[in-house]
Amino acid sequence: SQQGEEDPQALSIQEGENATMNCSYKTSINNLQWYRQNSGRGLVHLILIRSNEREKHSGRLRVTLDTSKKSSSLLITASRAADTASYFCATDWASGSRLTFGEGTQLTVNP
Amino acid sequence: DAGVTQSPTHLIKTRGQQVTLRCSPISGHKSVSWYQQVLGQGPQFIFQYYEKEERGRGNFPDRFSARQFPNYSSELNVNALLLGDSALYLCASSWLRVGNEQYFGPGTRLTVT
């Protein structure tokens, strides 16, 4: 089964609103990464947060990590229609760079 | 700088055939990983190669094999194709073997009929 699980499965918001997606995982991790995917294309790397970090920012993105709860959240502020995509969390938990993905959150930002 | 490139973009094969997918990593990246993404699901790890050696293998049958060349490019081979092998095959490259960002290519869409 997948290591990570995203919540919600689907999210629909208006442009300008904030979008929050959550990810839970099961085992200890080295790091957790968030990716965006548009319409079945390749994955775009958004941000990596290491197990000893609690929060990271990149532009309009804010990621938090709570290793005690084995959970992470991705916040997109001031969303735009171009943010419409599937968002995946992926955990790096093995000795190699083996990412385990959840099933993703489908975000729709309405103009 | 060019990102990860994959070829071909799309491929249609019939059951029982064999297929080879190709990946060129970002310049300077020594690790290449392969993932399979079935429609509606997240990607699943197939292989990791680092410095031309297999460093990890996911839960896929022996019909799946891969290799990495001296220039760090990689090929994924799938033999005796099944309908269930229809998926988007993604290649990712990274600088190190462990613990860093992976950068994905656009993928190869394989359809098995």
Side-chain angles (χ1 to χ4, degrees):
Chain A
S1 62
Q2 302 274 12
Q3 157 87 318
E5 294 184 2
E6 287 92 344
D7 170 57
Q9 288 186 326
L11 181 62
S12 181
I13 60 174
Q14 297 298 123
E15 234 177 0
E17 294 180 339
N18 296 340
T20 299
M21 288 159 270
N22 302 296
C23 169
S24 60
Y25 57 92
K26 297 176 182 175
T27 64
S28 296
I29 60 172
N30 299 318
N31 63 66
L32 185 145
Q33 303 182 37
W34 285 90
Y35 289 86
R36 183 185 75 228
Q37 185 176 42
N38 292 85
S39 301
R41 296 181 177 177
L43 297 162
V44 174
H45 186 271
L46 297 176
I47 200 163
L48 178 152
I49 186 165
R50 302 193 185 280
S51 60
N52 61 352
E53 297 176 311
R54 292 297 167 258
E55 186 171 314
K56 254 185 133 169
H57 297 257
S58 177
R60 294 184 295 114
L61 306 180
R62 172 179 171 257
V63 168
T64 61
L65 178 65
D66 187 335
T67 53
S68 66
K69 295 181 179 178
K70 292 186 169 57
S71 67
S72 175
S73 67
L74 170 67
L75 169 68
I76 304 174
T77 60
S79 63
R80 306 165 182 168
D83 294 328
T84 295
S86 292
Y87 291 81
F88 293 90
C89 72
T91 51
D92 181 352
W93 56 273
S95 58
S97 282
R98 174 189 306 216
L99 294 178
T100 303
F101 288 82
E103 297 198 353
T105 292
Q106 174 61 51
L107 172 66
T108 302
V109 182
N110 301 299
Chain B
D1 282 342
V4 177
T5 60
Q6 292 186 244
S7 63
T9 305
H10 296 89
L11 204 51
I12 299 175
K13 292 283 188 179
T14 57
R15 281 176 295 177
Q17 286 189 316
Q18 176 263 341
V19 68
T20 298
L21 311 180
R22 295 177 176 83
C23 170
S24 291
I26 292 171
S27 178
H29 284 193
K30 299 180 179 180
S31 174
V32 170
S33 297
W34 287 95
Y35 293 82
Q36 180 197 64
Q37 186 179 22
V38 174
L39 194 63
Q41 298 184 15
Q44 290 203 33
F45 172 79
I46 309 175
F47 285 110
Q48 183 199 14
Y49 275 78
Y50 180 76
E51 289 283 18
K52 292 152 281 182
E53 292 187 10
E54 182 182 307
R55 299 295 183 142
R57 184 185 184 112
N59 189 23
F60 281 81
D62 291 344
R63 300 185 296 108
F64 288 76
S65 63
R67 55 180 175 169
Q68 187 177 34
F69 299 99
N71 66 353
Y72 301 109
S73 67
S74 178
E75 287 182 351
L76 175 70
N77 295 285
V78 187
N79 294 322
L81 285 167
L82 304 174
L83 295 179
D85 294 332
S86 295
L88 181 68
Y89 288 85
L90 296 160
C91 172
S93 78
S94 58
W95 174 251
L96 299 172
R97 187 176 74 85
V98 298
N100 59 158
E101 296 86 346
Q102 293 194 37
Y103 296 94
F104 283 79
T108 293
R109 173 73 63 187
L110 173 65
T111 302
V112 182
T113 63

